[in-house]
Amino acid sequence: MEDKKNNKSSMAFPLPENGVSKQTSGSDSPAKTRRRKPGGWRAMPYVLGNETFERLASIGLLANFMQFLLEVFHLDQVSASNVLNIWGGVTNFIPLLGAFICDAYIGRFWTIAFASVFEMMGMLALTMIPWLPKLHPPPCKMGPQCKKPNKSQMGFLVMGLGFLSIGSAGIRPCSIPFGVDQFDSTTDEGRKGIASFFNWYYTSFTLVLIIAVTLVVYIQDSVSWVLGFGIPTILIFLSIVLFFIGTKVYVYVKPQGSIFSSFIQVFVASYKKRKLILPDERESNGVFYDPLLPQGSIVKKLPLTQKYRWLNKAAIVMEDEVNTDGTCTNKWRLCSIQQIEELKCILKIFPIWSAGIICFTAIGQQGTFTISQALKMDRHLGPKFQIPPGSLSVISMITVGIWLPVYDRFIMPSVTKRTRIEGGITLLQRIGIGMVFSILSMVVAGITEKIRRNSAITHNSPDGIAPITVMWLAPQLVLMGFAEAFNILGQIEFYNKEFPENMSSVANSLFSCTVAGASYISTLLVNLLHNTTGGHGHPDWLTKDINEGRIDNYYYLIAGLGVLNLFYFLYVARRYQYKTRIVVDDGIKGYADVHELHDMKD
């Protein structure tokens, strides 16, 4: 035991009968059951309808935005890439703030409602840019003679993108949890409903992506930018209307307080008690603060673990730190085991999260420099129709749409019989396979770009277009689709399964932070290469004229970083301990605690 001079914890924290903390489930609370009777599938037409319209609007607006910046705003490809990457970074980091406001103050319904209004304002602002001549530079064919946007025009563009970022801050971390809120996860029917909701969510999301990058992008590219932006603006308005129509059938979960405040309290309390000595594991009964969770809570009780042991000091009970009713007197000096273990979930996942940034840096190139490649290739499909550059990403989406059912129906069952793991492979193995595909896609992209560039230089046409079909880009996009199917979906499922139930908003924000990190890495690489490569009469790799640059070297660089990142991921993944894992034995599924898994043989 610790030195009593430093630690006055001889007072054991009172436990329930038998000395065991029993936790009631949410189904034991009649009030909770009554509160959850609305919602369910009655709410799904409004929830999924709102999601479908909102996604179709936002993706339809931005799927072709690189081309918009190049052709309408007359930015060079480095400047356009910087605008997209910086805005993408802000948009994908800010959902953490949205999750904080949602959990601490206003709840998911009002967070989504306010955010949707801001998103519509942003889309309306961007629709006005091509509509009103004063908001964009005068039209001209792409070239050095084209006039650049002035400060007012750039300011209006930044304002519109800022409104969209605020909208994303509220919608992204709350959309999936709000749908899950409509079902009672303490019942078999509710759990089945949640599983079906995820299936419908991802199905509708895939369909929306395909429509957005084909129909909407075609209208923008071949008909009118005003109409191409106006349609998404109308759709987001319809999503808001549909969302409010369902107010009478929704389940409203009140904000429970921000998990981030709890994290800070754990750090502060452990620092204040840093000089205390942790007791031996066999002598720790009653020493740590471990109250029951609130009545009706659906959060699973987390046991105290020895990882990051220094944080455990925050739960050591000192004299006069616990009231007679079992509550602590000062949350900044004493924290519960549950609070500590929730913080540990974030800390142990952080190395895995950081490994996903480089992978998504590769995946994100299909929205920037892949567009630049497509603009300098033969995009004809037949004598009259030209494939819009922004529609090429549908190739990776189709790859995902074909691969997932094949994997689910044919490959996964046979692999599961060999590994006895639900899903055939672990989530970390799935993420790692996606990284391998992202590296391969960058290598293929570099080879393809070298072929395209050589063809363009050899034929030396006035418009700089290489007389090879744009479908040469298909292999790299197919590989990118496999990277998404394994890595992105693996990350999303990993975060949702490894985080406690009350951290679902944080879990859904974490993947957005991966995208944000990738955006900033891309910005750093682009500007570094733009300023350091070239010289001695040679242009830099990412110069304005793609035929004079060396984008292939840029792709090879990302592939090299991906290889280094893969070794880092393998190192941290081997040391990761899952919270729970579902094992399959003779066709029977069951949850295995991580401590049990250490004693199991593969």
Side-chain angles (χ1 to χ4, degrees):
M1 290 290 290
E2 61 267 26
D3 187 350
K4 290 184 180 180
K5 186 177 180 179
N6 292 329
N7 183 1
K8 299 177 182 179
S9 61
S10 55
M11 177 195 70
F13 181 72
L15 293 171
E17 290 184 20
N18 304 323
V20 179
S21 272
K22 295 182 180 178
Q23 185 61 42
T24 57
S25 68
S27 58
D28 295 329
S29 173
K32 179 168 184 161
T33 303
R34 287 195 300 270
R35 179 177 62 82
R36 283 190 171 265
K37 276 187 178 178
W41 286 108
R42 291 175 57 193
M44 286 304 102
Y46 308 106
V47 174
L48 288 174
N50 167 261
E51 275 295 304
T52 301
F53 281 130
E54 189 277 325
R55 290 286 184 178
L56 184 58
S58 57
I59 296 170
L61 183 71
L62 299 171
N64 209 25
F65 208 63
M66 179 75 169
Q67 187 176 354
F68 173 78
L69 294 176
L70 293 173
E71 293 185 353
V72 177
F73 253 58
H74 305 153
L75 299 181
D76 58 68
Q77 63 177 355
V78 170
S79 299
S81 175
N82 284 340
V83 169
L84 283 176
N85 287 327
I86 294 172
W87 172 76
V90 172
T91 300
N92 287 292
F93 264 129
I94 202 172
L96 283 175
L97 177 60
F100 170 78
I101 295 173
C102 165
D103 293 340
Y105 300 108
I106 62 177
R108 289 169 184 145
F109 172 82
W110 285 112
T111 302
I112 295 174
F114 286 128
S116 296
V117 173
F118 274 101
E119 184 147 344
M120 188 180 71
M121 291 168 59
M123 291 185 171
L124 186 60
L126 293 182
T127 303
M128 293 172 65
I129 290 176
W131 185 19
L132 302 177
K134 290 184 178 180
L135 296 179
H136 63 264
C140 80
K141 291 186 178 181
M142 296 173 63
Q145 73 280 3
C146 292
K147 188 176 180 181
K148 301 294 183 182
N150 57 40
K151 291 183 179 180
S152 299
Q153 291 165 345
M154 284 299 298
F156 198 84
L157 174 69
V158 170
M159 182 190 71
L161 294 176
F163 284 147
L164 288 179
S165 295
I166 296 173
S168 297
I171 293 173
R172 293 190 183 184
C174 298
S175 59
I176 293 179
F178 185 71
V180 172
D181 286 344
Q182 308 310 310
F183 300 93
D184 187 351
S185 63
T186 63
T187 66
D188 289 337
E189 183 182 357
R191 286 189 289 271
K192 291 178 182 177
I194 292 173
S196 295
F197 165 72
F198 274 106
N199 290 334
W200 279 102
Y201 181 90
Y202 287 118
T203 300
S204 63
F205 181 62
T206 302
L207 291 174
V208 162
L209 282 174
I210 293 173
I211 294 172
V213 299
T214 52
L215 180 61
V216 177
V217 169
Y218 176 77
I219 292 173
Q220 294 170 353
D221 188 68
S222 303
V223 181
S224 165
W225 284 105
V226 177
L227 186 61
F229 283 1
I231 291 174
T233 305
I234 295 171
L235 290 176
I236 191 62
F237 174 75
L238 293 176
S239 77
I240 296 173
V241 172
L242 192 61
F243 185 69
F244 278 103
I245 290 176
T247 52
K248 292 185 178 180
V249 297
Y250 293 146
V251 170
Y252 300 92
V253 177
K254 294 181 179 180
Q256 303 295 313
S258 172
I259 196 73
F260 296 109
S261 300
S262 174
F263 293 164
I264 297 173
Q265 289 169 356
V266 173
F267 279 124
V268 171
S270 61
Y271 177 78
K272 289 180 177 179
K273 295 181 178 180
R274 65 190 181 279
K275 295 182 179 180
L276 299 182
I277 301 174
L278 286 168
D280 186 88
E281 195 172 351
R282 293 169 295 182
E283 301 175 350
S284 62
N285 187 29
V287 172
F288 296 106
Y289 182 56
D290 191 21
L292 294 174
L293 296 179
Q295 178 73 13
S297 174
I298 62 173
V299 178
K300 293 178 183 177
K301 203 83 160 61
L302 298 176
L304 186 67
T305 63
Q306 297 306 305
K307 194 173 183 65
Y308 305 113
R309 291 184 74 241
W310 54 277
L311 290 174
N312 295 352
K313 294 180 180 181
I316 295 178
V317 180
M318 305 288 289
E319 188 175 351
D320 300 326
E321 286 188 341
V322 179
N323 297 316
T324 55
D325 61 356
T327 59
C328 66
T329 57
N330 187 344
K331 293 181 179 180
W332 297 93
R333 286 199 61 86
L334 180 65
C335 299
S336 67
I337 289 176
Q338 185 75 12
Q339 288 178 272
I340 293 171
E341 291 303 317
E342 287 174 350
L343 174 57
K344 287 180 181 180
C345 284
I346 285 280
L347 295 180
K348 73 176 186 177
I349 282 174
F350 184 80
I352 303 294
W353 168 81
S354 63
I357 294 176
I358 296 296
C359 179
F360 205 90
T361 301
I363 294 173
Q365 300 310 312
Q366 60 186 317
T368 53
F369 290 104
T370 302
I371 302 293
S372 298
Q373 289 178 281
L375 286 169
K376 294 298 182 180
M377 300 177 77
D378 181 8
R379 295 183 284 116
H380 284 90
L381 193 63
K384 296 183 179 179
F385 180 76
Q386 280 200 101
I387 301 173
S391 296
L392 286 172
S393 58
V394 76
I395 296 174
S396 61
M397 297 172 195
I398 292 173
T399 303
V400 174
I402 294 175
W403 167 251
L404 289 180
V406 171
Y407 177 79
D408 186 68
R409 291 283 184 174
F410 302 106
I411 299 176
M412 186 179 69
S414 61
V415 177
T416 300
K417 289 180 182 179
R418 295 175 60 88
T419 61
R420 294 172 52 227
I421 298 173
E422 188 186 52
I425 56 178
T426 66
L427 291 174
L428 290 179
Q429 288 172 340
R430 188 174 182 176
I431 293 171
I433 292 172
M435 290 181 178
V436 174
F437 276 113
S438 71
I439 295 168
L440 293 175
S441 71
M442 287 293 95
V443 173
V444 172
I447 296 172
T448 302
E449 170 57 17
K450 187 174 182 180
I451 295 172
R452 187 212 64 79
R453 180 174 177 270
N454 289 340
S455 176
I457 293 173
T458 300
H459 290 83
N460 195 27
S461 61
D463 55 9
I465 294 177
I468 60 174
T469 175
V470 75
M471 297 310 293
W472 272 82
L473 300 177
Q476 69 195 58
L477 292 170
V478 169
L479 290 170
M480 205 70 77
F482 282 114
E484 293 179 22
F486 281 98
N487 189 276
I488 293 180
L489 296 182
Q491 282 193 63
I492 293 173
E493 188 174 353
F494 177 76
Y495 298 143
N496 278 279
K497 285 186 175 179
E498 290 299 299
F499 276 42
E501 292 78 0
N502 62 324
M503 294 172 65
S504 58
S505 295
V506 178
N508 285 281
S509 300
L510 203 57
F511 177 71
S512 292
C513 290
T514 303
V515 182
S519 296
Y520 289 132
I521 291 292
S522 293
T523 303
L524 177 64
L525 288 175
V526 166
N527 287 279
L528 185 64
L529 294 175
H530 184 56
N531 294 321
T532 59
T533 57
H536 304 292
H538 298 285
D540 64 88
W541 291 0
L542 305 178
T543 189
K544 184 174 183 179
D545 187 344
I546 187 175
N547 293 332
E548 294 181 1
R550 294 301 303 268
I551 291 180
D552 52 333
N553 290 343
Y554 173 62
Y555 288 148
Y556 293 143
L557 176 61
I558 295 177
L561 292 174
V563 172
L564 296 176
N565 182 65
L566 180 61
F567 284 118
Y568 165 72
F569 173 77
L570 293 174
Y571 175 81
V572 297
R574 286 177 63 86
R575 287 156 179 76
Y576 185 83
Q577 188 180 64
Y578 287 93
K579 185 178 72 173
T580 57
R581 188 183 299 174
I582 301 179
V583 295
V584 180
D585 190 11
D586 296 329
I588 302 174
K589 297 179 182 178
Y591 286 89
D593 186 85
V594 290
H595 303 294
E596 297 172 0
L597 285 169
H598 281 296
D599 301 325
M600 292 174 56
K601 293 183 179 179
D602 293 333

